[in-house]
Amino acid sequence: MLSLSLIFSACILGTRAAKSNPYLVAYPSFLNVLPEPFDRPTFLTNLFYQTTLPSNAPPQYGAAYDTLHNASFISFDPRFATDVIGSATGPVEKVAVIEDGSQEMPMYLKDEGVIFWSGNDLTQFRTIDVKTYEVKNYTTSVPVPNAAAGTIHKGQMYLGNFGDTTVHGGIWLLDYKTGNATMILNNQLGLSIGADDMTADDRGGIFFTDTASRVPRTNRTMQSPAALYYLRLSTMSLIAVDPTLIGPNGVVLSPDGKELYVNDNGDTYNPPNNINAQVLTAGKLGSTVYVNSAGPRTIYAYTLSPTTGLPISRRTVAVAEAGFLDGMKVSSSGLIFAAVYGGVDVYDPDGTRLGRINIPDASPNGKPVEKHVVNIVFEGNNLWCFAYGGVYRVQGLLVKGDPRLG
Ligand SMILES: *[C@@H]1O[C@H](CO)[C@@H](O)[C@H](O)[C@H]1NC(C)=O
Ligand SMILES: *[C@@H]1O[C@H](CO)[C@@H](O)[C@H](O)[C@H]1NC(C)=O
Ligand SMILES: *[C@@H]1O[C@H](CO)[C@@H](O)[C@H](O)[C@H]1NC(C)=O
Ligand SMILES: *[C@@H]1O[C@H](CO)[C@@H](O)[C@H](O)[C@H]1NC(C)=O
């Protein structure tokens, strides 16, 4: 693997970069023209290195896919090797096995030395010690069912959840030390709301995404539309900032606070309502995740008004090559790290795909479902990836996270 990766890297990056990291492979340029007939049979769970090729394809094609499949880091642009993955960056390592389930809202609590997150099983909140990897349960004073979003604003932790079939979701305050969880919003003029991801700005507000179709709300007849929302905490004004999104999910501010990145994971209504729905995962909890194969898998950038802090225009940054985009973070250098099926994609805000942090196949039971990364968080120069079924970590990146998110 090492020698092949060096050859491929040398083709693209030159010898110096090729020697920089043994786990990094450059996407070889000869893959820009594939032998016919080639195909991506399902782009929900087939990654680019699983493109099918004719049986008589020259052997270097299959060998290249095999090498890319096994690599921890795949570069599409030389800046991935010079700006993100250093010579001492360690491989993607699995540090905790978690039973199947969505692992949401990881937040690095520096003073506690832990990352706090929420799973969608009964245990729900957990912490992992960043040094020992010890996983502990965390209990809130009252249940916060289907909690998926979290952010810290002026030392105060906010959570967002979808609720379940008996109670509505909404926005919460959490006192981490005591576990005191207090709901501050559970409706918009009587309509159900939910939050999948959230991020606080410096103006006393929280951007959050309500992916209305994502979690079944069987007892709710009416809910607010799937949208990017802004909650102004001083007045509790709830503003639907962009209701044209179909399945808004990850949301994060650029480090200079001038842009907001939001992704749209499309329509996850179950068949037969949606003839384009394909199964991405069948979870242990009996829930199946469907994705609209014809729907958006897009990261947008909103330019924020310097006076109001709210979006004044929107442009497309990138489209995922498989599955759907999930949680996002930014580095202090301004790069966008987006969780996606297969790993984490790193983009320049201009849309250039710099590289992929590649989650290995080998999970406790080897199920492909576990290659979906739900959310990520930086701990200094380390990146923690919370995937279906496990927690993965990369140590020693050349970038740190945006300090406002730590
Ligand atoms: C990729 O990993 C598989 C499974 O560990 C192994 O059989 C194969 O030889 C590896 N291929 C390369 C090119 O490293
Ligand atoms: C966490 O809680 C679950 C039950 O919800 C239990 O099975 C598990 O043993 C607990 N883990 C720890 C480390 O206490
Ligand atoms: C909501 O619906 C579920 C079935 O989908 C049912 O078990 C539950 O009792 C209902 N809750 C209420 C409050 O009606
Ligand atoms: C929990 O937090 C809320 C909001 O900050 C506060 O009003 C309440 O008194 C707290 N409850 C306890 C038991 O500390």
Side-chain angles (χ1 to χ4, degrees):
M1 179 184 161
L2 184 58
S3 59
L4 269 177
S5 65
L6 288 178
I7 292 163
F8 291 135
S9 302
C11 294
I12 303 285
L13 302 174
T15 316
R16 197 157 163 263
K19 282 181 186 151
S20 67
N21 188 295
Y23 310 105
L24 173 77
V25 175
Y27 189 79
S29 57
F30 67 82
L31 292 180
N32 292 330
V33 181
L34 293 173
E36 295 284 2
F38 64 88
D39 195 15
R40 285 278 295 273
T42 138
F43 51 91
L44 294 184
T45 54
N46 277 64
L47 294 156
F48 54 88
Y49 44 68
Q50 292 165 317
T51 304
T52 57
L53 298 173
S55 55
N56 64 351
Q60 69 264 31
Y61 290 90
Y65 279 157
D66 204 22
T67 303
L68 293 168
H69 195 147
N70 287 4
S72 276
F73 311 113
I74 299 167
S75 73
F76 298 100
D77 183 289
R79 280 185 291 157
F80 198 51
T82 56
D83 300 359
V84 182
I85 307 296
S87 57
T89 304
V92 176
E93 291 178 294
K94 187 162 200 161
V95 294
V97 174
I98 308 295
E99 292 297 294
D100 282 357
S102 197
Q103 313 300 329
E104 302 272 5
M105 64 147 105
M107 283 183 270
Y108 174 43
L109 309 179
K110 199 171 180 180
D111 294 345
E112 317 285 337
V114 300
I115 293 167
F116 170 79
W117 87 99
S118 157
N120 64 2
D121 62 9
L122 296 176
T123 310
Q124 210 187 15
F125 294 108
R126 294 185 177 89
T127 58
I128 185 166
D129 187 297
V130 298
K131 296 266 186 313
T132 65
Y133 317 142
E134 186 190 358
V135 175
K136 288 185 179 165
N137 292 333
Y138 176 95
T139 310
T140 45
S141 56
V142 290
V144 187
N146 281 304
T151 191
I152 295 170
H153 175 64
K154 297 199 164 113
Q156 175 64 61
M157 193 183 286
Y158 291 84
L159 305 181
N161 75 326
F162 286 106
D164 59 20
T165 53
T166 57
V167 287
H168 289 84
I171 311 295
W172 301 68
L173 278 170
L174 175 65
D175 180 341
Y176 181 81
K177 296 271 190 218
T178 64
N180 179 14
T182 310
M183 201 169 214
I184 59 169
L185 187 75
N186 74 354
N187 75 94
Q188 182 184 34
L189 303 179
L191 300 175
S192 174
I193 59 161
D196 195 1
D197 260 312
M198 53 169 53
T199 195
D201 67 9
D202 296 332
R203 298 166 179 260
I206 296 171
F207 288 101
F208 71 90
T209 50
D210 187 352
T211 309
S213 62
R214 179 104 176 274
V215 175
R217 304 179 197 180
T218 51
N219 311 52
R220 327 275 162 72
T221 49
M222 291 298 286
Q223 42 184 290
S224 289
L228 168 68
Y229 288 93
Y230 183 74
L231 177 62
R232 191 173 288 130
L233 292 163
S234 59
T235 56
M236 291 302 283
S237 310
L238 183 62
I239 301 169
V241 172
D242 188 352
T244 69
L245 300 168
I246 296 166
N249 194 325
V251 53
V252 70
L253 282 159
S254 64
D256 63 10
K258 291 182 178 167
E259 284 199 311
L260 182 76
Y261 306 118
V262 178
N263 61 47
D264 190 347
N265 69 11
D267 176 357
T268 52
Y269 279 116
N270 296 355
N273 300 341
N274 178 352
I275 56 164
N276 289 311
Q278 292 183 8
V279 174
L280 177 65
T281 70
K284 208 177 199 172
L285 301 169
S287 62
T288 300
V289 176
Y290 295 91
V291 176
N292 179 356
S293 58
R297 300 186 296 283
T298 314
I299 302 175
Y300 296 105
Y302 296 85
T303 302
L304 301 179
S305 155
T307 45
T308 66
L310 292 171
I312 46 178
S313 65
R314 181 180 102 175
R315 68 187 166 85
T316 298
V317 174
V319 175
E321 58 90 21
F324 63 87
L325 290 153
D326 216 314
M328 296 191 291
K329 294 290 181 297
V330 291
S331 66
S332 56
S333 61
L335 300 177
I336 302 166
F337 285 65
V340 69
Y341 180 76
V344 181
D345 279 338
V346 181
Y347 295 99
D348 182 284
D350 74 4
T352 306
R353 188 194 302 269
L354 300 187
R356 155 74 53 89
I357 295 170
N358 203 21
I359 294 294
D361 288 352
S363 288
N365 51 18
K367 288 200 315 192
V369 25
E370 290 163 351
K371 283 186 82 102
H372 180 70
V373 181
V374 180
N375 212 333
I376 52 180
V377 68
F378 282 95
E379 169 237 339
N381 291 87
N382 306 330
L383 185 73
W384 293 69
C385 307
F386 288 75
Y388 286 139
V391 181
Y392 298 81
R393 192 219 38 211
V394 174
Q395 276 189 308
L397 293 166
L398 297 177
V399 293
K400 287 185 193 313
D402 176 1
R404 90 168 70 213
L405 302 170

